[in-house]
Coordinates of all heavy atoms in Angstrom, one line a residue:
M19 N -9.2 -14.2 21.0 CA -8.6 -13.1 20.3 C -9.4 -12.7 19.1 O -9.6 -11.5 18.7 CB -7.2 -13.4 20.0 CG -6.5 -12.3 19.3 SD -4.7 -12.6 19.2 CE -4.6 -12.8 17.4
F20 N -9.9 -13.7 18.3 CA -10.6 -13.4 17.1 C -12.1 -13.5 17.3 O -12.9 -13.4 16.3 CB -10.2 -14.4 16.0 CG -8.8 -14.3 15.6 CD1 -7.9 -15.3 16.0 CD2 -8.3 -13.2 14.9 CE1 -6.5 -15.1 15.6 CE2 -7.0 -13.1 14.5 CZ -6.1 -14.1 14.9
T21 N -12.6 -13.5 18.5 CA -14.1 -13.6 18.7 C -14.6 -12.1 18.7 O -13.9 -11.2 19.1 CB -14.4 -14.2 20.0 OG1 -13.7 -13.5 21.1 CG2 -14.0 -15.7 20.0
P22 N -15.8 -11.9 18.2 CA -16.3 -10.5 18.2 C -16.6 -10.1 19.6 O -17.0 -10.9 20.5 CB -17.6 -10.6 17.4 CG -18.0 -12.1 17.4 CD -16.7 -12.9 17.6
K23 N -16.4 -8.8 19.9 CA -16.7 -8.2 21.2 C -18.1 -7.7 21.2 O -18.4 -6.6 20.7 CB -15.7 -7.1 21.5 CG -14.2 -7.5 21.4 CD -13.9 -8.5 22.4 CE -12.4 -8.7 22.4 NZ -12.0 -10.0 22.0
I24 N -19.0 -8.5 21.7 CA -20.4 -8.1 21.8 C -20.7 -7.5 23.2 O -20.3 -8.1 24.2 CB -21.3 -9.3 21.5 CG1 -21.0 -9.8 20.1 CG2 -22.8 -8.9 21.6 CD1 -21.7 -11.1 19.7
P25 N -21.4 -6.4 23.3 CA -21.7 -5.9 24.6 C -22.7 -6.8 25.3 O -23.5 -7.5 24.7 CB -22.3 -4.5 24.3 CG -22.8 -4.5 22.9 CD -21.9 -5.5 22.2
P26 N -22.7 -6.8 26.6 CA -23.6 -7.6 27.4 C -25.0 -7.2 27.1 O -25.3 -6.1 26.7 CB -23.3 -7.4 28.8 CG -22.3 -6.3 28.9 CD -21.8 -6.1 27.5
P27 N -26.0 -8.1 27.2 CA -27.4 -7.8 26.8 C -28.0 -6.6 27.5 O -28.9 -6.0 27.0 CB -28.2 -9.1 27.1 CG -27.1 -10.1 27.3 CD -25.9 -9.5 27.7
D28 N -27.6 -6.3 28.8 CA -28.2 -5.2 29.5 C -27.8 -3.8 28.9 O -28.5 -2.8 29.2 CB -27.9 -5.3 31.0 CG -26.4 -5.2 31.3 OD1 -25.6 -5.5 30.3 OD2 -26.0 -5.0 32.4
T29 N -26.7 -3.7 28.2 CA -26.2 -2.4 27.7 C -26.5 -2.3 26.2 O -26.4 -1.2 25.6 CB -24.8 -2.2 27.9 OG1 -24.0 -3.2 27.3 CG2 -24.5 -2.2 29.4
A30 N -26.8 -3.4 25.5 CA -27.0 -3.3 24.1 C -28.3 -2.7 23.8 O -29.3 -2.9 24.5 CB -27.0 -4.7 23.5
P31 N -28.4 -1.8 22.7 CA -29.7 -1.1 22.4 C -30.6 -2.2 21.8 O -30.2 -3.1 21.1 CB -29.3 -0.1 21.4 CG -28.0 -0.5 20.9 CD -27.3 -1.3 21.9
T32 N -31.9 -2.0 22.1 CA -32.9 -2.9 21.5 C -33.1 -2.4 20.1 O -32.9 -1.2 19.7 CB -34.2 -2.8 22.3 OG1 -34.7 -1.5 22.3 CG2 -34.0 -3.3 23.7
P33 N -33.6 -3.3 19.2 CA -33.8 -2.9 17.8 C -34.8 -1.7 17.6 O -34.7 -0.9 16.7 CB -34.4 -4.1 17.1 CG -34.0 -5.2 18.0 CD -33.9 -4.7 19.4
G34 N -35.7 -1.5 18.5 CA -36.7 -0.4 18.4 C -36.2 1.0 18.9 O -36.8 2.0 18.6
T35 N -35.1 1.0 19.6 CA -34.6 2.2 20.1 C -33.3 2.7 19.4 O -32.7 1.9 18.7 CB -34.3 2.1 21.6 OG1 -33.3 1.1 21.8 CG2 -35.5 1.7 22.4
S36 N -33.0 3.9 19.6 CA -31.8 4.5 19.0 C -30.9 5.1 20.1 O -31.5 5.7 21.0 CB -32.1 5.4 17.9 OG -31.0 6.1 17.4
L37 N -29.6 5.2 19.9 CA -28.8 5.9 20.9 C -28.8 7.4 20.6 O -28.4 8.1 21.5 CB -27.3 5.3 20.7 CG -27.1 3.9 21.1 CD1 -25.7 3.5 20.9 CD2 -27.5 3.6 22.6
V38 N -29.2 7.8 19.5 CA -29.3 9.2 19.1 C -30.7 9.7 19.5 O -31.7 9.2 19.0 CB -29.0 9.4 17.6 CG1 -29.0 10.9 17.3 CG2 -27.6 8.9 17.3
Q39 N -30.7 10.8 20.3 CA -32.0 11.4 20.7 C -32.5 12.3 19.6 O -31.6 13.1 19.1 CB -31.9 12.1 22.0 CG -31.5 11.2 23.2 CD -32.5 10.1 23.4 OE1 -33.7 10.3 23.2 NE2 -32.1 8.9 23.8
P40 N -33.7 12.3 19.2 CA -34.2 13.2 18.2 C -34.2 14.7 18.7 O -34.5 14.9 19.9 CB -35.6 12.7 17.8 CG -36.0 12.0 19.0 CD -34.8 11.4 19.6
L41 N -34.0 15.6 17.8 CA -34.1 17.0 18.2 C -35.5 17.5 18.1 O -36.2 17.4 17.1 CB -33.2 17.9 17.2 CG -31.7 17.5 17.2 CD1 -31.0 18.4 16.2 CD2 -31.1 17.8 18.6
T42 N -36.0 18.0 19.2 CA -37.4 18.5 19.2 C -37.4 19.9 19.8 O -36.6 20.3 20.6 CB -38.3 17.6 20.1 OG1 -37.7 17.5 21.4 CG2 -38.4 16.2 19.5
G43 N -38.4 20.6 19.4 CA -38.6 22.0 19.9 C -37.7 23.0 19.3 O -37.7 24.2 19.8
L44 N -37.0 22.7 18.2 CA -36.2 23.7 17.6 C -37.0 24.4 16.5 O -37.6 23.8 15.6 CB -35.0 23.1 16.9 CG -33.9 22.5 17.8 CD1 -32.8 21.8 17.0 CD2 -33.3 23.6 18.7
V45 N -37.1 25.8 16.6 CA -37.9 26.6 15.7 C -36.9 27.6 15.1 O -36.3 28.4 15.9 CB -39.1 27.2 16.3 CG1 -39.8 28.1 15.3 CG2 -40.0 26.2 16.9
H46 N -36.7 27.7 13.8 CA -35.8 28.6 13.2 C -36.6 29.9 12.9 O -37.7 29.8 12.3 CB -35.2 28.1 12.0 CG -34.3 26.9 12.2 ND1 -33.1 27.0 12.8 CD2 -34.5 25.6 12.0 CE1 -32.5 25.8 12.9 NE2 -33.4 24.9 12.5
P47 N -36.1 31.0 13.3 CA -36.7 32.3 12.9 C -36.6 32.5 11.4 O -35.6 32.0 10.8 CB -36.0 33.3 13.8 CG -34.7 32.8 14.0 CD -34.9 31.3 14.1
P48 N -37.4 33.3 10.8 CA -37.3 33.6 9.4 C -36.0 34.4 9.2 O -35.5 35.1 10.1 CB -38.5 34.4 9.0 CG -39.1 34.9 10.3 CD -38.6 33.9 11.4
A49 N -35.5 34.4 7.9 CA -34.3 35.1 7.6 C -34.4 36.6 7.7 O -33.5 37.3 8.1 CB -33.8 34.7 6.2
C50 N -35.6 37.1 7.4 CA -35.8 38.6 7.5 C -37.3 38.8 7.9 O -38.1 37.9 7.8 CB -35.5 39.3 6.2 SG -36.7 38.8 4.8
T51 N -37.6 40.0 8.4 CA -38.9 40.3 8.9 C -39.7 41.0 7.9 O -40.9 41.4 8.1 CB -38.8 41.0 10.2 OG1 -38.1 42.2 10.0 CG2 -38.2 40.2 11.3
C52 N -39.2 41.4 6.8 CA -39.9 42.1 5.8 C -40.9 41.2 5.1 O -40.7 40.0 5.0 CB -39.0 42.8 4.8 SG -37.9 41.6 3.9
H53 N -42.0 41.7 4.5 CA -43.0 40.9 3.9 C -43.0 41.2 2.4 O -43.8 42.0 1.9 CB -44.4 41.2 4.5 CG -44.4 41.0 6.0 ND1 -44.4 39.8 6.6 CD2 -44.4 41.9 7.1 CE1 -44.4 39.8 7.9 NE2 -44.4 41.1 8.2
H54 N -42.2 40.5 1.7 CA -42.2 40.7 0.3 C -42.3 39.3 -0.4 O -42.1 38.3 0.2 CB -40.9 41.4 -0.2 CG -39.6 40.6 0.1 ND1 -39.2 39.6 -0.6 CD2 -38.7 40.8 1.2 CE1 -38.1 39.1 0.0 NE2 -37.8 39.8 1.0
T55 N -42.7 39.4 -1.6 CA -42.8 38.1 -2.3 C -41.5 37.7 -2.8 O -40.6 38.5 -3.2 CB -43.8 38.3 -3.5 OG1 -43.3 39.3 -4.4 CG2 -45.2 38.6 -3.1
P56 N -41.2 36.4 -2.8 CA -39.9 35.9 -3.3 C -39.8 36.1 -4.8 O -40.7 36.2 -5.5 CB -39.9 34.4 -3.0 CG -41.4 34.1 -2.8 CD -42.1 35.3 -2.4
A57 N -38.5 36.3 -5.2 CA -38.2 36.6 -6.6 C -38.5 35.3 -7.4 O -38.3 34.2 -6.9 CB -36.8 37.0 -6.8
P58 N -39.0 35.4 -8.6 CA -39.2 34.2 -9.4 C -37.9 33.5 -9.6 O -36.8 34.1 -9.8 CB -39.8 34.7 -10.7 CG -39.4 36.2 -10.8 CD -39.3 36.6 -9.3
A59 N -38.0 32.2 -9.7 CA -36.8 31.4 -10.0 C -36.3 31.7 -11.4 O -37.0 31.8 -12.3 CB -37.1 29.9 -9.8
P60 N -34.9 31.8 -11.5 CA -34.4 32.0 -12.8 C -34.6 30.9 -13.7 O -34.6 29.7 -13.3 CB -32.9 32.3 -12.6 CG -32.6 31.6 -11.3 CD -33.9 31.6 -10.5
T61 N -34.9 31.2 -15.0 CA -35.1 30.1 -15.9 C -33.8 29.6 -16.4 O -32.8 30.4 -16.5 CB -35.9 30.6 -17.1 OG1 -35.2 31.7 -17.7 CG2 -37.3 31.1 -16.7
P62 N -33.7 28.3 -16.6 CA -32.4 27.8 -17.1 C -32.1 28.3 -18.5 O -32.9 28.5 -19.3 CB -32.6 26.3 -17.1 CG -34.0 26.1 -17.1 CD -34.7 27.3 -16.5
A63 N -30.8 28.6 -18.7 CA -30.4 29.1 -20.0 C -30.4 28.0 -21.0 O -30.2 26.8 -20.7 CB -28.9 29.6 -19.8
A64 N -30.7 28.4 -22.2 CA -30.8 27.4 -23.3 C -29.4 26.9 -23.6 O -28.4 27.6 -23.5 CB -31.4 28.0 -24.5
P65 N -29.3 25.6 -23.8 CA -28.0 25.0 -24.1 C -27.3 25.7 -25.3 O -28.1 26.1 -26.3 CB -28.2 23.5 -24.3 CG -29.7 23.4 -24.7 CD -30.3 24.6 -24.0
S66 N -26.0 25.9 -25.3 CA -25.4 26.5 -26.4 C -25.5 25.6 -27.6 O -25.5 24.4 -27.5 CB -23.9 26.8 -26.0 OG -23.2 25.6 -25.8
A67 N -25.5 26.2 -28.7 CA -25.6 25.5 -30.0 C -24.3 25.0 -30.5 O -23.7 25.6 -31.4 CB -26.3 26.4 -31.1
R68 N -23.7 24.0 -29.8 CA -22.5 23.5 -30.2 C -22.7 22.4 -31.3 O -23.6 21.7 -31.2 CB -21.8 22.8 -29.0 CG -21.3 23.8 -27.9 CD -20.6 23.1 -26.9 NE -21.4 22.0 -26.3 CZ -21.2 21.5 -25.1 NH1 -20.1 21.8 -24.4 NH2 -22.0 20.5 -24.6
P69 N -21.8 22.4 -32.2 CA -22.0 21.3 -33.2 C -21.7 20.0 -32.7 O -20.8 19.8 -31.9 CB -21.0 21.7 -34.3 CG -20.0 22.5 -33.6 CD -20.7 23.2 -32.5
A70 N -22.5 19.0 -33.0 CA -22.2 17.6 -32.6 C -21.0 17.1 -33.3 O -20.7 17.5 -34.4 CB -23.4 16.8 -32.9
V71 N -20.3 16.2 -32.7 CA -19.1 15.6 -33.3 C -19.6 14.6 -34.3 O -20.4 13.7 -34.1 CB -18.3 14.8 -32.2 CG1 -17.1 14.1 -32.8 CG2 -17.8 15.8 -31.1
Q72 N -19.1 14.8 -35.5 CA -19.5 13.9 -36.6 C -18.3 13.2 -37.1 O -17.3 13.8 -37.4 CB -20.1 14.7 -37.7 CG -21.4 15.4 -37.3 CD -22.0 16.2 -38.4 OE1 -21.4 16.4 -39.5 NE2 -23.2 16.7 -38.2
F73 N -18.4 11.9 -37.2 CA -17.3 11.1 -37.7 C -17.5 10.8 -39.2 O -18.6 10.3 -39.6 CB -17.2 9.7 -36.9 CG -16.7 9.9 -35.5 CD1 -17.6 9.7 -34.5 CD2 -15.4 10.3 -35.3 CE1 -17.1 9.9 -33.2 CE2 -14.9 10.4 -34.0 CZ -15.8 10.3 -32.9
T74 N -16.5 11.0 -39.9 CA -16.5 10.6 -41.3 C -15.9 9.2 -41.5 O -15.2 8.7 -40.6 CB -15.7 11.6 -42.2 OG1 -14.4 11.6 -41.8 CG2 -16.3 13.0 -42.1
P75 N -16.2 8.5 -42.6 CA -15.5 7.2 -42.7 C -14.0 7.2 -42.6 O -13.4 6.3 -42.1 CB -16.0 6.7 -44.1 CG -17.3 7.4 -44.3 CD -17.1 8.8 -43.6
G76 N -13.4 8.3 -43.1 CA -12.0 8.4 -43.0 C -11.5 8.5 -41.6 O -10.5 7.9 -41.2
S77 N -12.2 9.4 -40.8 CA -11.8 9.6 -39.4 C -12.0 8.3 -38.6 O -11.2 8.0 -37.7 CB -12.5 10.7 -38.8 OG -13.9 10.5 -38.7
L78 N -13.1 7.5 -38.9 CA -13.3 6.2 -38.2 C -12.2 5.3 -38.6 O -11.7 4.5 -37.7 CB -14.6 5.7 -38.6 CG -15.8 6.3 -37.9 CD1 -17.1 5.7 -38.5 CD2 -15.8 6.2 -36.4
L79 N -11.7 5.3 -39.8 CA -10.6 4.4 -40.2 C -9.3 4.7 -39.5 O -8.6 3.9 -39.0 CB -10.5 4.4 -41.7 CG -9.5 3.5 -42.3 CD1 -10.0 2.0 -42.1 CD2 -9.3 3.7 -43.8
V80 N -9.1 6.0 -39.4 CA -7.9 6.5 -38.7 C -7.9 6.1 -37.2 O -6.9 5.7 -36.6 CB -7.7 8.0 -38.9 CG1 -6.6 8.6 -38.0 CG2 -7.3 8.3 -40.4
A81 N -9.1 6.3 -36.6 CA -9.2 6.0 -35.2 C -9.0 4.5 -34.9 O -8.4 4.0 -34.0 CB -10.6 6.4 -34.7
A82 N -9.6 3.6 -35.8 CA -9.5 2.2 -35.7 C -8.0 1.8 -35.9 O -7.5 0.9 -35.2 CB -10.4 1.5 -36.7
A83 N -7.3 2.4 -36.9 CA -5.9 2.0 -37.1 C -5.1 2.5 -35.9 O -4.1 1.8 -35.5 CB -5.4 2.7 -38.4
G84 N -5.3 3.6 -35.4 CA -4.6 4.1 -34.2 C -4.8 3.2 -33.0 O -3.8 2.9 -32.3
G85 N -6.0 2.8 -32.8 CA -6.3 1.9 -31.6 C -5.6 0.6 -31.8 O -5.0 0.0 -30.9
T86 N -5.6 0.1 -33.0 CA -4.9 -1.2 -33.3 C -3.4 -1.1 -33.1 O -2.8 -2.0 -32.5 CB -5.2 -1.7 -34.8 OG1 -6.6 -1.7 -34.9 CG2 -4.6 -3.0 -35.1
A87 N -2.9 0.0 -33.5 CA -1.4 0.2 -33.3 C -1.1 0.3 -31.8 O -0.1 -0.3 -31.4 CB -1.0 1.5 -34.0
V88 N -1.9 1.0 -31.1 CA -1.6 1.1 -29.6 C -1.7 -0.3 -29.0 O -0.8 -0.6 -28.2 CB -2.6 2.1 -29.0 CG1 -2.6 2.0 -27.5 CG2 -2.3 3.5 -29.4
V89 N -2.7 -1.1 -29.3 CA -2.8 -2.4 -28.8 C -1.6 -3.3 -29.1 O -1.1 -4.0 -28.3 CB -4.2 -3.1 -29.2 CG1 -4.2 -4.6 -28.9 CG2 -5.3 -2.4 -28.6
L90 N -1.2 -3.2 -30.4 CA 0.0 -4.0 -30.8 C 1.2 -3.6 -30.1 O 2.0 -4.4 -29.7 CB 0.2 -3.9 -32.3 CG -0.9 -4.6 -33.2 CD1 -0.7 -4.4 -34.6 CD2 -0.9 -6.1 -32.9
V91 N 1.5 -2.3 -29.9 CA 2.7 -1.8 -29.2 C 2.7 -2.2 -27.8 O 3.7 -2.7 -27.2 CB 2.8 -0.3 -29.4 CG1 3.9 0.3 -28.5 CG2 3.1 0.1 -30.8
V92 N 1.5 -2.0 -27.1 CA 1.4 -2.4 -25.7 C 1.6 -3.9 -25.5 O 2.3 -4.4 -24.6 CB 0.1 -1.9 -25.1 CG1 -0.1 -2.5 -23.7 CG2 0.1 -0.4 -25.0
G93 N 1.0 -4.7 -26.4 CA 1.2 -6.2 -26.4 C 2.6 -6.6 -26.6 O 3.1 -7.5 -25.9
T94 N 3.3 -5.9 -27.5 CA 4.7 -6.3 -27.8 C 5.6 -6.0 -26.5 O 6.4 -6.8 -26.2 CB 5.2 -5.5 -29.0 OG1 4.4 -5.7 -30.1 CG2 6.7 -5.8 -29.3
V95 N 5.3 -4.9 -25.9 CA 6.1 -4.5 -24.7 C 5.8 -5.5 -23.6 O 6.8 -6.0 -22.9 CB 5.7 -3.1 -24.2 CG1 6.3 -2.8 -22.9 CG2 6.3 -2.1 -25.3
L96 N 4.6 -5.9 -23.4 CA 4.3 -6.8 -22.3 C 4.9 -8.2 -22.6 O 5.4 -8.9 -21.7 CB 2.8 -6.9 -22.1 CG 2.1 -5.7 -21.5 CD1 0.6 -5.9 -21.4 CD2 2.7 -5.3 -20.2
V97 N 4.8 -8.7 -23.8 CA 5.4 -10.0 -24.2 C 6.9 -9.9 -24.0 O 7.5 -10.9 -23.5 CB 5.0 -10.4 -25.6 CG1 5.8 -11.6 -26.1 CG2 3.5 -10.7 -25.6
S98 N 7.5 -8.8 -24.3 CA 9.0 -8.7 -24.2 C 9.4 -8.7 -22.7 O 10.4 -9.4 -22.3 CB 9.5 -7.4 -24.8 OG 9.2 -7.3 -26.1
L99 N 8.6 -8.1 -21.8 CA 8.8 -8.1 -20.4 C 8.7 -9.5 -19.9 O 9.5 -10.0 -19.1 CB 7.9 -7.2 -19.7 CG 8.2 -5.7 -19.8 CD1 7.1 -4.9 -19.2 CD2 9.5 -5.3 -19.2
L100 N 7.7 -10.3 -20.3 CA 7.5 -11.6 -19.9 C 8.6 -12.5 -20.3 O 9.1 -13.4 -19.6 CB 6.1 -12.2 -20.4 CG 5.7 -13.6 -20.0 CD1 5.5 -13.6 -18.5 CD2 4.5 -14.0 -20.7
L101 N 9.0 -12.3 -21.6 CA 10.2 -13.1 -22.1 C 11.5 -12.8 -21.3 O 12.2 -13.7 -21.0 CB 10.3 -12.8 -23.6 CG 11.4 -13.7 -24.3 CD1 11.0 -15.1 -24.3 CD2 11.5 -13.2 -25.8
A102 N 11.7 -11.6 -21.0 CA 12.9 -11.2 -20.3 C 12.9 -11.9 -18.9 O 13.9 -12.4 -18.4 CB 13.0 -9.7 -20.2
T103 N 11.7 -11.9 -18.3 CA 11.6 -12.5 -16.9 C 11.8 -14.0 -17.0 O 12.5 -14.6 -16.2 CB 10.2 -12.3 -16.4 OG1 10.0 -10.9 -16.3 CG2 10.0 -12.8 -15.0
A104 N 11.3 -14.7 -18.1 CA 11.5 -16.1 -18.2 C 13.0 -16.4 -18.5 O 13.5 -17.4 -17.9 CB 10.7 -16.6 -19.4
I105 N 13.7 -15.7 -19.3 CA 15.1 -15.9 -19.6 C 15.9 -15.7 -18.3 O 16.8 -16.5 -18.0 CB 15.6 -15.0 -20.7 CG1 14.9 -15.4 -22.1 CG2 17.1 -15.0 -20.8 CD1 15.2 -14.5 -23.2
T106 N 15.6 -14.7 -17.6 CA 16.3 -14.4 -16.3 C 16.1 -15.6 -15.3 O 17.1 -16.1 -14.7 CB 15.8 -13.1 -15.7 OG1 16.0 -12.1 -16.6 CG2 16.6 -12.8 -14.4
A107 N 14.9 -16.1 -15.2 CA 14.6 -17.2 -14.3 C 15.4 -18.5 -14.7 O 15.9 -19.2 -13.9 CB 13.1 -17.5 -14.2
A108 N 15.4 -18.7 -16.0 CA 16.1 -19.9 -16.5 C 17.6 -19.8 -16.3 O 18.3 -20.7 -15.9 CB 15.8 -20.1 -18.0
S109 N 18.2 -18.6 -16.5 CA 19.6 -18.4 -16.3 C 20.0 -18.6 -14.8 O 21.0 -19.1 -14.4 CB 20.1 -17.1 -16.8 OG 19.5 -16.0 -16.1
V110 N 19.1 -18.1 -13.9 CA 19.4 -18.2 -12.5 C 19.3 -19.7 -12.1 O 20.1 -20.2 -11.3 CB 18.4 -17.4 -11.7 CG1 18.4 -17.7 -10.2 CG2 18.7 -15.9 -11.9
A111 N 18.4 -20.4 -12.7 CA 18.2 -21.9 -12.4 C 19.5 -22.6 -12.8 O 20.0 -23.5 -12.1 CB 17.0 -22.4 -13.0
V112 N 20.0 -22.3 -14.0 CA 21.2 -22.9 -14.5 C 22.4 -22.6 -13.6 O 23.2 -23.5 -13.3 CB 21.5 -22.5 -16.0 CG1 22.9 -23.0 -16.4 CG2 20.4 -23.1 -16.9
C113 N 22.5 -21.4 -13.2 CA 23.6 -21.0 -12.3 C 23.5 -21.8 -11.0 O 24.5 -22.2 -10.4 CB 23.6 -19.5 -12.0 SG 24.1 -18.5 -13.4
A114 N 22.3 -21.9 -10.5 CA 22.1 -22.7 -9.2 C 22.5 -24.1 -9.4 O 23.1 -24.7 -8.5 CB 20.6 -22.6 -8.7
L115 N 22.2 -24.7 -10.5 CA 22.6 -26.1 -10.8 C 24.1 -26.3 -10.9 O 24.7 -27.2 -10.3 CB 21.9 -26.6 -12.0 CG 20.4 -26.9 -11.9 CD1 19.9 -27.4 -13.3 CD2 20.2 -28.0 -10.9
V116 N 24.7 -25.3 -11.5 CA 26.2 -25.4 -11.7 C 26.9 -25.2 -10.3 O 27.8 -26.0 -10.0 CB 26.7 -24.3 -12.7 CG1 28.2 -24.2 -12.6 CG2 26.2 -24.7 -14.1
L117 N 26.4 -24.3 -9.5 CA 27.0 -24.1 -8.2 C 26.7 -25.3 -7.3 O 27.6 -25.7 -6.6 CB 26.4 -22.8 -7.5 CG 26.9 -21.5 -8.0 CD1 26.1 -20.4 -7.4 CD2 28.4 -21.4 -7.7
R118 N 25.6 -25.9 -7.4 CA 25.3 -27.1 -6.6 C 26.2 -28.2 -7.0 O 26.7 -29.0 -6.2 CB 23.8 -27.5 -6.8 CG 23.4 -28.7 -6.0 CD 21.9 -28.9 -6.2 NE 21.6 -30.3 -6.2 CZ 20.5 -30.8 -6.6 NH1 19.5 -30.1 -7.0 NH2 20.3 -32.1 -6.5
S119 N 26.4 -28.4 -8.3 CA 27.3 -29.4 -8.8 C 28.7 -29.2 -8.3 O 29.4 -30.1 -7.9 CB 27.2 -29.5 -10.3 OG 28.1 -30.4 -10.8
L120 N 29.2 -28.0 -8.4 CA 30.5 -27.7 -8.0 C 30.7 -27.9 -6.5 O 31.8 -28.4 -6.1 CB 30.9 -26.2 -8.3 CG 31.1 -25.9 -9.8 CD1 31.3 -24.4 -10.0 CD2 32.3 -26.7 -10.4
L121 N 29.8 -27.5 -5.7 CA 29.9 -27.6 -4.3 C 29.8 -29.1 -3.8 O 30.5 -29.5 -2.9 CB 28.8 -26.8 -3.5 CG 29.0 -25.3 -3.6 CD1 27.8 -24.5 -3.0 CD2 30.3 -24.9 -3.0
S122 N 28.9 -29.9 -4.5 CA 28.8 -31.3 -4.1 C 30.1 -32.0 -4.6 O 30.5 -33.0 -4.0 CB 27.6 -31.9 -4.7 OG 27.7 -31.9 -6.1
H123 N 30.7 -31.6 -5.7 CA 31.9 -32.2 -6.2 C 33.0 -32.0 -5.2 O 33.9 -32.8 -5.1 CB 32.2 -31.7 -7.6 CG 33.1 -32.6 -8.4 ND1 32.8 -33.9 -8.8 CD2 34.4 -32.3 -8.8 CE1 33.9 -34.4 -9.4 NE2 34.8 -33.5 -9.4
Q124 N 33.1 -30.8 -4.6 CA 34.1 -30.5 -3.7 C 34.0 -31.3 -2.4 O 35.1 -31.7 -1.9 CB 34.0 -29.0 -3.2 CG 34.4 -28.0 -4.3 CD 35.9 -27.9 -4.5 OE1 36.6 -28.2 -3.6 NE2 36.3 -27.4 -5.6
K125 N 32.8 -31.6 -2.0 CA 32.7 -32.5 -0.8 C 33.1 -33.9 -1.0 O 33.6 -34.6 -0.1 CB 31.2 -32.5 -0.3 CG 30.7 -31.2 0.2 CD 29.3 -31.3 0.7 CE 28.8 -30.0 1.1 NZ 27.3 -30.0 1.5
G126 N 33.0 -34.4 -2.3 CA 33.4 -35.7 -2.6 C 34.9 -36.0 -2.6 O 35.4 -37.0 -2.4
R127 N 35.7 -34.9 -2.7 CA 37.1 -35.1 -2.7 C 37.8 -35.2 -1.4 O 37.5 -34.8 -0.4 CB 37.8 -33.9 -3.5 CG 37.5 -34.1 -5.0 CD 38.2 -33.0 -5.7 NE 37.9 -33.0 -7.2 CZ 38.4 -32.3 -8.0 NH1 39.3 -31.4 -7.7 NH2 38.0 -32.4 -9.3

């Protein structure tokens, strides 16, 4: 079931041959029959003179503070989710122990 399905050697293509036959003898006619010189290629337009983004020390400080705040908020949310999961798991474990104790105590009577 998990073995590869390899074709028998008589039908497998040899490494030097291809299953796709090359196209030969195709000649495309020219797009038009008029004899004119092609138009010169358009020159690329000069890039627009946009001002480069310049950071001042104040803007770098604001960006660093904003990034730090985002990291702290995301970290707090993730730690809270992990803590909530741990508390839920512990409470489920305690409930399971109490139920086991109650059920085993019932069998003893």
Side-chain angles (χ1 to χ4, degrees):
M19 182 169 110
F20 295 108
T21 58
K23 306 294 187 246
I24 301 174
D28 59 341
T29 60
T32 60
T35 62
S36 174
L37 296 176
V38 179
Q39 299 298 326
L41 298 176
T42 57
L44 292 177
V45 178
H46 295 286
C50 66
T51 57
C52 59
H53 301 288
H54 60 80
T55 58
T61 58
S66 62
R68 293 185 300 197
V71 177
Q72 295 178 353
F73 290 109
T74 61
S77 65
L78 285 177
L79 186 64
V80 168
T86 304
V88 167
V89 167
L90 289 176
V91 168
V92 169
T94 303
V95 169
L96 291 178
V97 168
S98 299
L99 287 172
L100 183 63
L101 185 62
T103 304
I105 290 172
T106 303
S109 65
V110 168
V112 168
C113 289
L115 287 176
V116 168
L117 284 174
R118 181 175 145 194
S119 173
L120 289 174
L121 291 176
S122 68
H123 197 66
Q124 288 282 340
K125 288 181 185 178
R127 289 186 184 182

